[in-house]
């Protein structure tokens, strides 16, 4: 009986750590600014009330609620009022930014990243997309990187692939300054958000890769794919 009660207690502790409020507090300890997002109904539609919402769940629950924070007292207050609210990371500034891809394209990109480098940071997964957290960047830095990718061959691509640069996936999304990313244990219209590659402990967080290096590897992944973009295929 003691063993059963012990297991029940550990299970309750695990569930407590997996609540949105507990997760939001853990992210705050990493210095990540968070805020509650809009939830979804049983039909998966955003509860903001906007017909055809372009970003279901991935925006603040209240229009006035724009200032994300790592302040634990504010986070406690927010999630006491809305215990099931999704957890949003406000990207940019000193916080991580992100790049997201459709699931199949993202898995292929991860394999290329693992083979060519750089080392990936935390990776989020929903049933239809993967999101890679990257080091903070400014819009000017992103623009410069994208311009360079138009003119330069990817340095990490194998020589056998020739000198024709690949292209970034057309379905790539950037989550930079002023954006939001949904963090576990939240739900979106596509389903549950989880960690495919979880961040390390708050005391020893993973170093985030530079967006420039990840984008270069994404170009390489597209080139290495069967019938890749460099041969004219549009995925």
């Amino acid at each position: 009986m003691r063993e059963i009660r012990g297991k029940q207690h550990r299970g309750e502790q695990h569930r407590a750590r997996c609540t949105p409020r507990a997760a939001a507090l853990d992210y705050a300890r990493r210095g990540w600014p968070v805020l509650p997002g809009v939830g979804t109904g049983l039909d998966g539609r955003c509860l903001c009330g906007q017909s055809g919402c372009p970003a279901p769940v991935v925006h603040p629950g209240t229009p006035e609620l724009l200032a994300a924070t790592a302040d634990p007292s504010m986070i406690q207050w927010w999630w006491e009022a809305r215990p099931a609210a999704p957890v949003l990371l406000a990207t940019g500034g000193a916080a991580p930014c992100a790049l997201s891809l459709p699931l199949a394209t993202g898995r292929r990109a991860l394999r290329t990243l693992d083979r060519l480098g750089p080392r990936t940071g935390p990776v989020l997964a929903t049933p239809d997309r993967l999101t890679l957290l990257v080091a903070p960047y400014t819009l000017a830095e992103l623009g410069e990187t994208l311009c360079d990718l138009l003119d330069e061959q990817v340095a990490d691509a194998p020589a056998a692939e020739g000198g024709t640069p690949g292209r970034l996936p057309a379905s790539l999304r950037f989550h930079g300054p002023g954006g939001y990313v949904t963090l576990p244990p939240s739900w979106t219209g596509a389903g549950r958000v989880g960690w495919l590659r979880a961040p390390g402990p708050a005391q020893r967080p993973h170093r985030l890769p530079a967006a420039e290096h990840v984008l270069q590897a994404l170009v390489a992944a597209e080139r290495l794919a069967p019938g890749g973009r460099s041969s004219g295929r549009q995925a």
Side-chain angles (χ1 to χ4, degrees):
M1 182 63 72
R2 286 182 180 178
E3 182 181 357
I4 294 174
R5 287 176 178 171
K7 289 181 179 179
Q8 289 176 337
H9 179 65
R10 288 192 296 272
E12 290 168 358
Q13 286 182 321
H14 176 72
R15 284 192 294 273
R17 288 195 298 269
C18 290
T19 64
R21 180 173 66 176
L25 289 169
D26 177 69
Y27 301 138
R29 284 190 287 271
R30 303 168 188 275
W32 296 0
V34 297
L35 73 168
V38 183
T40 57
L42 296 177
D43 57 1
R45 295 183 181 179
C46 188
L47 293 178
C48 68
Q50 180 182 353
S51 177
C53 176
V57 178
V58 193
H59 61 86
T62 307
E64 310 80 53
L65 189 60
L66 298 175
T69 184
D71 177 22
S73 59
M74 193 69 198
I75 290 170
Q76 288 274 14
W77 184 78
W78 277 339
W79 270 274
E80 283 176 2
R82 296 182 56 212
V87 183
L88 299 185
L89 166 68
T91 53
C97 292
L99 308 171
S100 69
L101 296 149
L103 191 61
T105 306
R107 289 190 180 278
R108 185 172 69 238
L110 283 181
R111 289 193 294 269
T112 304
L113 284 164
D114 290 339
R115 186 165 66 253
L116 301 178
R119 184 175 180 178
T120 61
V123 179
L124 296 156
T126 64
D128 62 353
R129 293 188 76 82
L130 292 186
T131 300
L132 290 71
L133 297 191
V134 297
Y137 58 74
T138 65
L139 294 180
E141 290 169 341
L142 176 63
E144 183 177 350
T145 296
L146 294 177
C147 287
D148 289 343
L149 286 174
L150 291 174
D151 302 327
E152 297 178 3
Q153 178 181 351
V154 178
D156 289 333
E161 289 300 315
T164 304
R167 297 180 182 178
L168 290 172
S171 49
L172 174 66
R173 295 177 187 169
F174 298 92
H175 306 269
Y180 300 102
V181 167
T182 310
L183 297 176
S186 307
W187 285 80
T188 70
R192 181 181 290 278
V193 182
W195 289 112
L196 183 64
R197 299 182 180 182
Q203 300 81 1
R204 299 187 304 278
H206 289 157
R207 184 175 181 178
L208 297 173
E212 176 185 4
H213 298 154
V214 174
L215 290 171
Q216 289 174 341
L218 290 178
V219 173
E222 287 295 289
R223 177 187 295 146
L224 295 172
R229 288 179 175 274
S230 58
S231 63
R233 175 175 173 263
Q234 298 295 317

